[in-house]
């Protein structure tokens, strides 16, 4: 394992939900346990580059977080009786190092149990998503706030309230009825985690492979629990088919490569085959919902060996069905692109205008508009739209790509720079 900052960061992200799950299962104090895990992660990030990785990183993190948690419980106990109860929570062997390669975490993956805990029905959907992205996905509060277009302070308060609400909830997987109630929120959370990994909302990297892989792993785990649920199978198919293109999405210097310009020989054909089979299975498991339809669209893209072979009429038909069943503005924006490929850029621009009020200020709105304006030959308006999109995105690769597209457009007839 790489002991450098990047390797340690990846290792910590991998273990964070497992460590938190172990502490919540052991102590039952979700809010305090989450704080203790964050302190243990910070201690590891400071110590491991200097002292080297411990033989059992997860065991080290569990012990360190356990110490932080019990110290906090004792500190919060104003009276002797409460202090003794806090001490009694500590297992007799809590601070004993387990043998190398072992830990006191159970053999089953605590992460899945933690996922359902974060989607407890007493939480609002917004709180479920925020808490799971923080505790299971490992996203920072700032990243979650950007994804929801709210101030960071507002999101921090939302997460704190959610942690307090699940305090004392038993750490176990829900029964079948309760599980079904939580499933929609669980799948939405996994979808958001994957999207943040596949196209990072901010920073210098376009692709956060750790998040994308974790979302796929968790979705596979949920499918193991619900193997015949079309929504779960559809979401897994969508992730696998989308991630199959990841090797072709960036150039040698990390620059963004759009779908129609990608070297499709770099796509993972084994993943495409798996995803396509999953789509067929998902569509046979009941009425097609949002995840199944998006997966079917992804399959049509992946099956085209060349960009010009893409079955745009079929993709448009699927988008028509998707926006009819789940009228989300981002889906309508994607439909506008498909419409432009079938009926021409002006038709696509009209569809973009129809969703402008719901996506005002979002960089993807201007990015799509710029692309369609360029196709329509309105280079001056396209240049302005590309620049607006670049100014609004927090992703460095996306901003660089958008500015490059603007710079490549023919100059205005009067010779000005636009």
């Amino acid at each position: 394992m790489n002991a450098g900052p990047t390797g340690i960061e990846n290792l910590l992200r991998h273990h964070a939900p497992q460590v938190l799950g172990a502490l919540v299962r052991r102590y039952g104090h979700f809010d305090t346990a989450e704080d203790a895990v964050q302190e243990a992660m910070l201690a590891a990030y400071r110590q491991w580059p200097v002292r080297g990785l411990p033989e059992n990183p997860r065991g080290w993190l569990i012990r360190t977080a356990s110490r932080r948690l019990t110290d906090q419980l004792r500190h919060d106990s104003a009276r002797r009786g409460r202090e003794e109860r806090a001490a009694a929570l500590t297992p007799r062997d809590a601070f004993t190092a387990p043998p190398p390669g072992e830990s006191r975490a159970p053999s089953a993956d605590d992460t899945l149990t933690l996922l359902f805990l974060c989607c407890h029905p007493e939480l609002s959907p917004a709180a479920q998503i925020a808490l799971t992205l923080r505790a299971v996905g490992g996203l920072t509060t700032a990243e979650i706030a950007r994804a929801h277009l709210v101030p960071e302070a507002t999101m921090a308060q939302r997460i704190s309230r959610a942690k307090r609400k699940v305090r004392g909830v038993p750490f176990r997987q829900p029964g079948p009825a309760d599980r079904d109630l939580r499933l929609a929120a669980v799948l939405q959370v996994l979808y958001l985690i994957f999207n943040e990994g596949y196209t990072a909302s901010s920073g210098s990297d376009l692709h956060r492979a750790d998040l994308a892989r974790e979302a796929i792993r968790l979705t596979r785990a949920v499918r193991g629990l619900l193997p015949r649920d079309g929504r779960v199978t559809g979401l897994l198919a969508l992730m696998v088919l989308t991630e199959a293109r990841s090797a072709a999405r960036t150039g040698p210097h990390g620059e963004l490569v759009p779908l129609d310009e990608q070297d499709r020989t770099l796509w993972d054909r084994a993943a495409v085959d798996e995803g396509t089979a999953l789509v067929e299975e998902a569509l046979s498991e009941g009425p097609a919902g949002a995840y199944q339809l998006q997966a079917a669209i992804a399959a049509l893209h992946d099956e085209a060996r060349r960009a010009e072979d893409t079955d745009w009429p079929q993709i448009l038909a699927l988008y028509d069905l998707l926006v009819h069943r789940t009228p989300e503005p981002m889906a309508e924006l994607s439909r506008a692109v498909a419409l432009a490929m079938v009926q021409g850029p002006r038709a696509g621009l009209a569809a973009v205008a129809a969703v402008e009020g719901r996506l005002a200020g979002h960089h993807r709105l201007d990015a799509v508009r710029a692309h369609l304006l360029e196709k329509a030959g309105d280079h001056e308006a396209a240049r302005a739209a590309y620049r607006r999109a670049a100014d609004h995105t927090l992703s460095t690769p996306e901003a660089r790509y958008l500015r490059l597209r603007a710079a490549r457009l023919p100059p205005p007839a009067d010779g000005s720079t636009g």
Side-chain angles (χ1 to χ4, degrees):
M1 170 63 68
N2 176 15
T6 301
I8 289 175
E9 184 177 348
N10 291 338
L11 184 64
L12 293 177
R13 187 182 295 279
H14 171 72
H15 285 307
Q18 300 171 23
V19 174
L20 178 57
L23 259 68
V24 176
R25 176 173 39 80
R26 180 182 294 177
Y27 298 102
H29 293 259
F30 183 93
D31 52 342
T32 314
E34 206 271 340
D35 293 337
V37 170
Q38 293 303 314
E39 291 183 21
M41 297 292 168
L42 182 59
Y45 197 78
R46 290 173 175 169
Q47 295 178 28
W48 291 359
V50 177
R51 302 179 183 178
L53 295 178
E55 290 186 10
N56 180 3
R58 183 167 64 174
W60 188 99
L61 290 166
I62 290 174
R63 292 194 303 277
T64 302
S66 294
R67 293 190 183 100
R68 300 289 200 277
L69 177 57
T70 52
D71 286 348
Q72 185 62 46
L73 291 173
R74 292 189 179 99
H75 178 74
D76 291 345
S77 299
R79 294 175 300 174
R80 179 66 180 171
R82 289 190 62 192
E83 186 175 34
E84 290 174 351
R85 286 195 295 275
L89 288 170
T90 307
R92 293 176 62 185
D93 63 350
F95 302 140
T96 303
E102 297 182 11
S103 76
R104 291 186 184 83
S107 57
D109 190 353
D110 267 345
T111 307
L112 185 58
T113 306
L114 180 62
L115 184 63
F116 281 109
L117 174 64
C118 291
C119 295
H120 195 276
E122 290 188 7
L123 298 175
S124 68
Q128 292 172 339
I129 292 167
L131 184 59
T132 308
L133 288 172
R134 181 75 181 91
V136 184
L139 274 67
T140 67
T141 302
E143 288 170 330
I144 302 169
R146 283 194 294 270
H148 287 79
L149 304 178
V150 299
E152 184 175 349
T154 300
M155 184 56 66
Q157 292 174 356
R158 184 181 300 173
I159 293 172
S160 295
R161 287 194 299 267
K163 289 197 294 185
R164 289 195 297 270
K165 270 202 166 185
V166 298
R167 181 189 299 165
V169 174
F171 189 72
R172 59 173 180 261
Q173 289 201 17
D178 192 20
R179 183 180 61 202
D180 289 343
L181 289 174
R182 301 191 205 181
L183 184 60
V186 167
L187 297 181
Q188 186 177 11
V189 165
L190 294 174
Y191 180 65
L192 288 173
I193 294 173
F194 178 79
N195 283 344
E196 178 63 26
Y198 191 71
T199 303
S201 61
S202 64
S204 58
D205 295 326
L206 179 69
H207 186 221
R208 295 174 62 177
D210 52 349
L211 280 182
R213 284 195 299 265
E214 180 67 4
I216 292 173
R217 187 187 72 83
L218 290 173
T219 306
R220 289 190 191 279
V222 176
R223 185 167 180 260
L225 190 63
L226 299 168
R228 304 186 70 82
D229 191 295
R231 296 166 296 174
V232 180
T233 305
L235 179 58
L236 179 59
L238 174 60
M239 291 179 179
V240 170
L241 288 164
T242 305
E243 182 67 9
R245 310 176 202 137
S246 60
R249 293 183 68 234
T250 54
H253 304 293
E255 66 273 19
L256 184 153
V257 180
L259 181 62
D260 60 348
E261 297 178 14
Q262 288 177 14
D263 179 357
R264 301 186 177 212
T265 64
L266 298 177
W267 289 2
D268 185 341
R269 284 294 156 187
V272 171
D273 291 343
E274 179 194 3
T276 302
L278 286 168
V279 170
E280 294 174 357
E281 184 176 338
L283 292 175
S284 71
E285 291 171 341
Y291 299 125
Q292 295 98 309
L293 291 170
Q294 290 180 77
I297 292 169
L300 287 171
H301 280 297
D302 286 14
E303 288 170 353
R305 295 286 178 164
R306 302 177 304 164
E308 54 267 34
D309 296 333
T310 305
D311 189 348
W312 284 108
Q314 182 63 22
I315 289 174
L316 177 59
L318 288 169
Y319 270 123
D320 286 340
L321 188 56
L322 176 62
V323 300
H324 175 73
R325 294 188 178 179
T326 55
E328 295 290 336
M330 282 299 180
E332 293 182 45
L333 192 62
S334 296
R335 177 189 173 276
V337 175
L339 183 64
M341 297 303 294
V342 175
Q343 298 183 13
R346 292 297 174 188
L349 286 166
V352 170
V355 298
E356 185 167 7
R358 285 175 290 162
L359 290 174
H362 199 291
H363 77 278
R364 296 204 186 281
L365 180 77
D366 276 319
V368 170
R369 179 186 281 120
H371 173 66
L372 298 183
L373 285 167
E374 181 180 356
K375 281 186 168 296
D378 192 343
H379 296 149
E380 190 169 351
R383 184 171 17 254
Y386 276 130
R387 289 172 177 171
R388 283 196 305 271
D391 289 341
H392 284 104
T393 183
L394 297 174
S395 166
T396 301
E398 283 192 333
R400 188 181 299 119
Y401 166 77
L402 291 164
R403 291 194 177 96
L404 181 61
R405 291 300 295 251
R408 286 178 174 174
L409 290 172
D414 60 6
S416 66
T417 58

